[in-house]
Amino acid sequence: MHSSTQYGRGQGDEYLNEYTDLQWWDDDLADRFDGLIFDCDGTLSDSMPLHYVAWRDTMSQRGVEFTEERFYSMGGMPTEKIISLLCDEQGVRVDIDATATAKENAFETLMDELQPLEIVCEVAARHRGRLAMAVASGGIRPIVSRQLQQLGIADWFTAVVTSEDTVGHKPEPDAFLRAAELLDVSPARCLVFEDSPLGFEAAVRAGMEFVDVRTKIVR
C-alpha cells in the first residue's frame, strides 16, 4: 500500500489505494526507463471536462457545433488547428486567432475548478528526483504553466514542451522527441503518459512506450 503525496485538491489515499493493483502503478519504473514524459490536459490535470465547456460555448457563439465525442477525439491538437478544421467542415468563417484567444480565456475562467488526476500525479511524485521527467502538451505555454502551478507540481519537471516549441504536433512525434532531447534521454528509454489517441500515436512514432491513463494499460 502506497502512502499519498498531497498536491492540489485531490482526495488522497482513499482514492489512490483503489489502484494499487495496477502494474504501472506498482512497478518501480526506474528499472525499465530513464525518463517519464507526461501530457498535461487529461493526464496530469483532470481538465478535459472544463476544456469542453469552454470549447462548446466559444464555438456555439460563432455558429459552430462541437460535440463532446469529437472534442475527445481531437485531444492533443493545437487550438488553432481545431478551429480551422471545424470551421472548414461546417463552412463557417471566423477570425481563428481571436477565436483561439476567446476559447483560452473561457477556460481560464473555469480554472478554479481544476483538479489533479491523482493516480498519474502520484506516479510522478514517486519518481520525482529519481527519473528525469518532462511535460509534453499540445496546449499553449501560459495555460499549461498555470495548470502545473495551480496543481503545485510545476517544479517537478526538468522540461515543459508546449505547442509553441515544435513545428509538428500530435500525432506527429515532435513534442515527445523534443522532451526526450531536453531530458538527455534516449526515446527508447522514455515512458509516455497520455489520454488521447493522437498522443498514443505520437508516442509510438517517437519510439516510446506509453501508458493509456484512461485504461491504465502499458502499451
Side-chain angles (χ1 to χ4, degrees), residues 104-123:
E104 301 301 356
N105 288 343
F107 175 70
E108 286 194 88
T109 67
L110 301 170
M111 283 188 65
D112 285 345
E113 303 175 36
L114 186 68
Q115 298 281 345
L117 196 60
E118 292 273 5
I119 182 68
V120 179
C121 287
E122 182 68 12
V123 171

Side-chain angles (χ1 to χ4, degrees), residues 68-124:
E68 190 168 9
E69 181 180 6
R70 186 74 189 283
F71 163 72
Y72 279 101
S73 75
M74 300 172 90
M77 189 178 293
T79 301
E80 291 81 1
K81 186 172 182 180
I82 292 174
I83 295 168
S84 179
L85 284 172
L86 292 174
C87 290
D88 285 348
E89 290 170 358
Q90 299 180 40
V92 177
R93 296 186 64 181
V94 301
D95 182 321
I96 291 178
D97 290 339
T99 303
T101 298
K103 183 270 163 182
E104 301 301 356
N105 288 343
F107 175 70
E108 286 194 88
T109 67
L110 301 170
M111 283 188 65
D112 285 345
E113 303 175 36
L114 186 68
Q115 298 281 345
L117 196 60
E118 292 273 5
I119 182 68
V120 179
C121 287
E122 182 68 12
V123 171

